[in-house]
């Protein structure tokens, strides 16, 4: 009976993991999501060819090494590798000298204010009462400030570097525990360092890296405990899990995963010690958080409230956002403030909104599928996991000259991002091969990191989304990726030996290509999925059965015959009027109109964003967008330029008479009406109302 329960549990985990792996692998092979500096998500399709070439080259290299019997002269030393990792992190932190921004900056400032007995942010509508989950991070900053000072950011970042090195050590040991192979553990550690976003996250002082190191150590100790039953090991697991949860509340997922596996282990193996470890871990995790809250109340003399309820974050995570679906859109904080910072009242409102949202999904299932597809893409199909965004958006202590900064940006765009894009597809293919080859072989107790990954995937399916949140679960799969390729190479060797035994000439390139058949299935599925997606109507739909379009997710890149980049004014082709913007006093929204006089509000900067053009009005700090507004005049469509929107993606194509059309990816053009208002209509090449020219103020034209 117990064996059946263990087997059933393992099969359930592997089936769920396999489905998720197939979905994410397919998504990453055919598409990529990029978030710019404003967290504006761009969805583009990838070519399968680079992935296919990379995979074939890997197998050819493996075949060549095996055939020539090439041996490495150098032995892998974990201690040397960890020293290298730590030094690499130190060089990056000291050389980049990046200052925090956003919430990390706010938490650091609050800690400094506490030092001077300024408790303004602890008032009912203050930051700490709104976000009480930040107590652990603020206390950490507060006590660290006594040692290193409140301006010594590099000291905190160096602590992150130590946590980064600790994670590399833990993931190496987890691979050793799983596969009992130094070679596979070595490649896991190397893959971890090759994954650049982890290194760049050392400058992100938001508890992410410390929590990742502590939670991974807890997973390692939990797996060791299930093997050796040493209570001391279980105690280390409990303490590490508690520290991780204090650093970041999201690591509650790790506590839940360990609890579930230890409960099954205790039942199936009759190990009572596991129940004691579970009890200690749960008590320690929640008691440490409570102790931090009590300590904060003692320091400030102000009682901490419950802040925004969880249901508000869930509701926000199921809403469209101006950045991307399910991303932060201020719903939770606005609802909290509108209800006078009352947690219970906010929860009641958010619950009703959540029910209404679920009803919308139920009534329009295609829209629901499209929503979650986009949300998951923004979380899991961004190969950078926002690491470059986090670095760009933080303030540098050193101001670099324009030329070095331009070179660095080009390296990121043309080298590092494509590298990470291919690496991510490579990793997911390895994970998929692991799920395929190890379905029946692996033991339940070795699936603990996978259980955490599944928990993170499901959690952020409904919670607030961001690539920087999901990276902590993604990196836990590296040992399984390496094992997947090891299994594929093993099958490759078996096939080669079988063909040799039959007297087949193994020097034939065709034979090597035939050996690559397991990957073909994945790639065929990916290409088929791409074709189906291109033909599907899910990407856009018509509003009110008119020519007005509401864009949420584009199927492909805009076709641009000639791209104009730079600062300019957009002028009508057949008149002296310029495209201008004005703010509606009632709605507070900006709309388009034609103006015969030159104004500063007309100045736009046309920027290439991941192969899409962003028409950015500098004076208003807003981008031209194509989202539908409440209509003042029901006979006309009004359009807003939204600072964060998935609608601000354009193509600019040149006509035969040197005029230009400003169009959406599927051919809807910016069109002037006789009364001077503007709408978007289907492309009509002969229409003078759809022709524009650019008065360049600072131009750079490329073919």
């Amino acid at each position: 009976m117990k064996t059946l329960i263990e087997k059933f549990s393992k099969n359930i985990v592997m089936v769920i993991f396999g489905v998720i792996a197939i979905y994410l692998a397919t998504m990453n092979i055919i598409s990529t999501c990029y978030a710019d500096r404003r967290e504006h998500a761009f969805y583009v399709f990838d070519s399968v060819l680079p992935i296919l070439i990379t995979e074939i080259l890997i197998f050819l290299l493996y075949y060549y090494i095996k055939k020539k019997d090439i041996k490495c002269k150098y032995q892998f030393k974990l201690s040397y590798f960890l020293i290298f990792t730590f030094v690499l992190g130190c060089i990056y932190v000291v050389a980049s000298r990046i200052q925090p921004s956003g919430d990390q900056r706010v938490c650091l400032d609050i800690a400094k204010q506490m030092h001077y007995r300024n408790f303004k942010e602890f008032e009912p509508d203050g930051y700490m009462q709104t976000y009480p989950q930040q107590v652990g991070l603020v206390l950490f900053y507060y006590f660290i400030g006594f040692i290193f000072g409140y301006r010594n950011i590099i000291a905190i970042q160096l602590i992150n570097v130590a946590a980064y090195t600790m994670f590399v050590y833990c993931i190496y040991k987890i691979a050793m525990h799983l596969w009992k192979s130094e070679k596979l553990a070595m490649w896991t550690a190397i893959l971890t360092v090759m994954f650049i976003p982890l290194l760049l996250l050392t400058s992100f002082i938001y508890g992410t890296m410390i929590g990742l190191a502590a939670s991974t150590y807890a997973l390692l100790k939990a797996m060791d405990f299930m093997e050796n039953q040493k209570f001391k090991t279980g105690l280390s697991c409990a303490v590490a899990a508690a520290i991780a949860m204090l650093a970041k509340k999201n690591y509650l997922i790790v506590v839940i995963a360990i609890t579930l596996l230890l409960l099954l282990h205790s039942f199936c193996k009759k190990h009572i010690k596991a129940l004691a470890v579970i009890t200690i871990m749960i008590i320690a995790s929640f008691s440490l958080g409570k102790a931090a809250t009590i300590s904060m109340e003692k320091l400030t003399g102000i009682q901490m409230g419950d802040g925004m309820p969880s249901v508000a974050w869930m509701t926000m995570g199921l809403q469209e956002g101006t950045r991307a679906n399910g991303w932060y859109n201020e719903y939770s904080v606005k609802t909290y403030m509108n209800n006078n910072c009352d947690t219970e009242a906010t929860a009641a409102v958010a619950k009703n909104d959540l029910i209404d949202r679920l009803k919308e999904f139920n009534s329009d299932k295609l829209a629901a599928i499209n929503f979650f597809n986009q949300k998951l893409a923004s979380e899991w199909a961004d190969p950078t996991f926002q690491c470059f965004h986090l670095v760009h958006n933080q303030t540098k202590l050193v101001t670099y000259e324009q030329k070095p900064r331009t070179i660095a940006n080009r390296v990121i765009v043309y080298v590092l991002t494509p590298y990470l894009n291919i690496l991510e597809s490579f990793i997911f293919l390895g994970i998929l091969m692991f799920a395929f080859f190890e379905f029946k072989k692996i033991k339940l107790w070795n699936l603990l990191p996978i259980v955490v990954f599944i928990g993170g995937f499901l959690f952020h399916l409904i919670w607030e989304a961001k690539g920087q949140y999901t990276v902590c679960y993604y990196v836990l799969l590296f040992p399984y990726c390496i094992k997947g390729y090891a299994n594929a190479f093993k099958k490759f060797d078996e096939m080669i030996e079988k063909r040799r035994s039959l007297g087949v000439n193994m020097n034939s390139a065709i034979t090597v290509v035939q050996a690559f058949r397991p990957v073909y299935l994945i790639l065929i599925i990916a290409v088929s999925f791409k074709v189906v997606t291109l033909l599907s109507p899910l990407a856009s739909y018509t509003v009110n059965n008119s020519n007005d379009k509401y864009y949420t997710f584009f199927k492909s890149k805009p076709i641009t015959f000639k791209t104009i980049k730079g600062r300019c004014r957009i002028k009508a082709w057949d008149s002296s009027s310029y495209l201008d913007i004005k703010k509606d006093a009632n709605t507070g929204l900006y709309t388009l109109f034609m103006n015969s006089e030159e104004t500063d509000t007309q100045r736009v900067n046309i920027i290439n964003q991941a192969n899409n053009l962003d028409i950015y009005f500098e004076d208003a700090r807003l981008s031209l967008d194509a989202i539908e507004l409440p209509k003042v005049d029901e006979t006309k469509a009004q359009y807003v330029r939204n600072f964060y929107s998935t609608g601000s993606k354009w193509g600019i194509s040149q006509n035969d008479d040197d005029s230009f059309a400003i169009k959406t990816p599927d051919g809807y053009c910016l069109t002037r009406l006789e009364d001077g208002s503007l709408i978007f209509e289907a492309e009509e090449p002969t229409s003078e109302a759809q022709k524009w020219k650019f008065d360049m103020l600072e131009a750079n034209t490329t073919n």
Side-chain angles (χ1 to χ4, degrees):
M1 178 65 179
K2 293 176 181 179
T3 304
L4 286 175
I5 292 175
E6 180 182 340
K7 185 177 180 180
F8 176 76
S9 301
K10 185 201 77 171
N11 289 341
I12 288 292
V13 171
M14 285 301 293
V15 167
I16 295 173
F17 177 66
V19 171
I20 295 174
I22 291 171
Y23 174 77
L24 293 182
T26 305
M27 175 186 287
N28 278 278
I29 289 170
I30 68 172
S31 66
T32 302
C33 176
Y34 298 103
D36 65 11
R37 293 182 63 179
R38 297 174 290 157
E39 292 189 328
H40 180 163
F42 294 89
Y43 306 88
V44 296
F45 272 115
D46 276 343
S47 171
V48 178
L49 186 60
I51 311 300
L52 179 60
I53 292 173
T54 302
E55 291 291 321
I56 291 177
L57 287 177
I58 289 170
F59 275 77
L60 287 175
L61 179 62
Y62 175 78
Y63 175 70
Y64 177 79
I65 291 173
K66 290 285 288 186
K67 182 180 178 181
K68 298 295 184 180
D69 196 25
I70 298 174
K71 304 292 184 183
C72 182
K73 298 179 181 179
Y74 303 98
Q75 188 176 2
F76 181 82
K77 295 281 188 181
L78 179 61
S79 56
Y80 293 163
F81 189 78
L82 293 177
I83 292 171
F84 165 78
T85 302
F86 183 77
V87 171
L88 182 66
C90 290
I91 291 173
Y92 164 69
V93 164
V94 174
S96 61
R97 300 179 68 187
I98 292 173
Q99 288 275 284
S101 64
D103 285 310
Q104 38 175 342
R105 176 85 249 177
V106 173
C107 291
L108 192 64
D109 289 342
I110 292 173
K112 183 179 178 181
Q113 292 167 12
M114 287 174 59
H115 183 73
Y116 295 105
R117 310 300 296 171
N118 178 357
F119 304 128
K120 179 182 178 180
E121 297 297 338
F122 290 85
E123 294 176 0
D125 60 346
Y127 182 88
M128 290 306 296
Q129 294 291 358
T130 306
Y131 303 94
Q133 68 269 23
Q134 306 286 30
V135 165
L137 185 62
V138 172
L139 276 179
F140 171 72
Y141 287 155
Y142 177 73
F143 290 116
I144 276 294
F146 283 104
I147 303 173
F148 299 110
Y150 293 98
R151 294 183 181 273
N152 195 345
I153 308 302
I154 290 180
I156 304 175
Q157 291 173 337
L158 288 176
I159 294 173
N160 271 354
V161 172
Y164 170 58
T165 307
M166 181 67 178
F167 173 76
V168 174
Y169 167 80
C170 290
I171 206 72
Y172 173 90
K173 288 295 185 180
I174 286 176
M176 277 290 294
H177 177 96
L178 289 170
W179 319 127
K180 313 299 182 188
S181 168
E182 290 187 3
K183 183 181 290 187
L184 295 186
M186 174 194 73
W187 283 111
T188 301
I190 292 173
L191 176 62
T192 304
V193 175
M194 288 174 62
F195 183 63
I196 298 172
L198 270 187
L199 173 65
L200 300 188
L201 279 173
T202 55
S203 65
F204 187 56
I205 55 172
Y206 200 44
T208 303
M209 192 57 67
I210 295 174
L212 177 61
S215 63
T216 311
Y217 184 78
L219 293 176
L220 172 63
K221 290 302 176 182
M223 295 169 74
D224 286 343
F225 172 76
M226 285 187 282
E227 188 175 89
N228 59 36
Q229 288 299 301
K230 292 182 180 179
F231 186 75
K232 182 180 178 181
T233 305
L235 190 61
S236 299
C237 166
V239 173
I243 293 172
M245 192 171 158
L246 181 65
K248 207 82 170 163
K249 293 292 184 184
N250 289 5
Y251 289 110
L252 173 61
I253 294 170
V254 175
V255 174
I256 294 172
I258 293 174
T259 299
L260 290 175
L261 265 292
L262 286 181
L263 280 173
L264 279 170
H265 182 76
S266 175
F267 177 77
C268 296
K269 304 296 182 181
K270 297 183 179 180
H271 290 155
I272 306 301
K273 289 181 182 178
L275 298 177
V277 171
I278 292 170
T279 304
I280 294 171
M281 181 175 63
I282 293 174
I283 292 174
S285 298
F286 290 95
S287 296
L288 197 59
K290 186 64 177 177
T293 301
I294 293 172
S295 299
M296 187 67 82
E297 290 174 346
K298 292 290 184 183
L299 285 169
T300 62
I302 301 173
Q303 186 174 358
M304 296 294 298
D306 295 327
M308 290 183 289
S310 298
V311 68
W313 291 100
M314 292 171 59
T315 305
M316 185 182 74
L318 296 178
Q319 294 176 343
E320 279 92 0
T322 52
R323 303 177 184 187
N325 285 350
W327 286 42
Y328 184 75
N329 63 6
E330 298 186 349
Y331 166 84
S332 53
V333 67
K334 284 183 177 179
T335 306
Y336 183 69
M337 294 299 174
N338 290 340
N339 286 277
N340 299 317
C341 304
D342 186 317
T343 302
E344 293 184 1
T346 303
V349 172
K351 184 177 179 180
N352 290 332
D353 290 343
L354 178 61
I355 293 172
D356 291 340
R357 184 59 173 157
L358 294 175
K359 288 179 180 178
E360 290 178 17
F361 284 151
N362 186 55
S363 62
D364 191 348
K365 294 179 175 59
L366 288 180
I369 292 171
N370 191 38
F371 173 88
F372 285 110
N373 190 45
Q374 294 174 52
K375 182 177 181 179
L376 289 170
S378 69
E379 293 177 303
W380 299 100
D382 180 355
T384 71
F385 286 89
Q386 292 189 278
C387 65
F388 298 132
H389 158 77
L390 294 173
V391 171
H392 275 308
N393 273 20
Q394 298 179 98
T395 307
K396 292 181 174 63
L397 285 171
V398 178
T399 302
Y400 300 102
E401 295 296 329
Q402 181 64 34
K403 189 172 182 179
R405 186 162 60 242
T406 301
I407 292 172
N409 288 338
R410 287 180 177 176
V411 169
I412 288 172
V413 172
Y414 297 112
V415 179
L416 294 181
T417 301
Y419 157 74
L420 290 174
N421 191 23
I422 292 175
L423 182 65
E424 185 176 33
S425 299
F426 167 85
I427 290 170
F428 272 113
L429 277 172
I431 292 167
L432 198 56
M433 285 188 284
F434 161 80
F436 178 77
F437 289 119
E438 290 283 328
F439 185 90
K440 295 181 179 180
K441 298 177 184 177
I442 194 166
K443 295 179 180 179
L444 175 64
W445 326 118
N446 288 335
L447 293 176
L448 181 54
I450 287 179
V451 174
V452 175
F453 166 78
I454 293 173
F457 179 89
L458 296 177
F459 175 73
H460 286 288
L461 187 65
I462 59 173
W463 203 262
E464 180 191 2
K466 269 190 182 183
Q468 59 178 280
Y469 297 157
T470 57
V471 68
C472 301
Y473 313 108
Y474 172 69
V475 293
L476 295 177
L477 299 180
F478 287 179
Y480 302 100
C481 166
I482 296 298
K483 181 62 173 175
Y485 279 100
N487 287 338
F489 292 147
K490 183 179 178 181
K491 293 290 183 182
F492 183 85
D493 288 338
E494 290 175 357
M495 201 205 77
I496 295 293
E497 290 301 321
K498 182 178 179 180
R499 293 180 72 88
R500 276 183 180 153
S501 66
L502 296 174
V504 179
N505 181 13
M506 295 311 300
N507 292 323
S508 170
I510 297 175
T511 303
V512 178
V513 172
Q514 288 176 342
F516 196 62
R517 285 177 297 181
V519 181
Y520 291 161
L521 178 61
I522 299 167
L523 295 175
I524 289 170
I525 292 172
V527 173
S528 301
F529 183 80
K530 179 173 181 177
V531 171
V532 171
T533 307
L534 286 170
L535 296 175
S536 74
L538 297 180
S540 63
Y541 53 92
T542 304
V543 179
N544 297 330
N545 295 317
S546 68
N547 287 330
D548 308 335
K549 300 289 289 184
Y550 172 49
Y551 298 96
T552 56
F553 178 57
F554 295 129
K555 291 179 281 190
S556 59
K557 303 175 185 177
I559 300 172
T560 307
F561 302 105
K562 178 177 279 190
T563 299
I564 294 181
K565 295 184 292 184
R567 290 177 173 82
C568 61
R569 287 186 175 91
I570 301 175
K571 192 175 184 179
W573 178 251
D574 56 355
S575 72
S576 58
S577 297
Y578 295 92
L579 186 66
D580 207 342
I581 56 174
K582 60 183 176 182
K583 189 173 183 178
D584 188 281
N586 297 322
T587 64
L589 298 171
Y590 285 86
T591 54
L592 296 171
F593 75 106
M594 300 304 299
N595 191 350
S596 59
E597 299 180 1
E598 292 186 2
T599 66
D600 289 338
T601 55
Q602 296 164 356
R603 290 169 59 96
V604 299
N605 193 1
I606 300 178
I607 309 166
N608 194 324
Q609 299 277 17
N611 295 308
N612 297 280
L613 295 178
D614 184 31
I615 302 176
Y616 180 69
F617 287 84
E618 293 182 331
D619 186 71
R621 294 176 58 81
L622 298 170
S623 297
L624 180 65
D625 201 357
I627 62 173
E628 187 189 34
L629 287 179
K631 296 176 182 176
V632 179
D633 184 344
E634 287 297 327
T635 63
K636 302 171 190 172
Q638 304 290 318
Y639 293 90
V640 66
R641 289 139 311 277
N642 198 309
F643 188 66
Y644 299 112
S645 173
T646 53
S648 56
K649 305 171 187 173
W650 305 95
I652 298 175
S653 62
Q654 189 172 20
N655 302 316
D656 294 337
D657 55 2
D658 291 330
S659 65
F660 291 87
I662 301 172
K663 59 177 66 176
T664 62
D666 47 356
Y668 279 72
C669 295
L670 180 61
T671 308
R672 304 180 301 280
L673 299 181
E674 292 182 359
D675 61 358
S677 60
L678 297 112
I679 64 170
F680 292 89
E681 290 188 333
E683 183 176 7
E684 297 177 17
T686 59
S687 173
E688 297 295 316
Q690 294 177 344
K691 295 181 179 181
W692 304 87
K693 57 185 174 181
F694 298 87
D695 282 359
M696 303 306 298
L697 306 173
E698 187 178 325
N700 176 23
T701 305
T702 58
N703 288 314

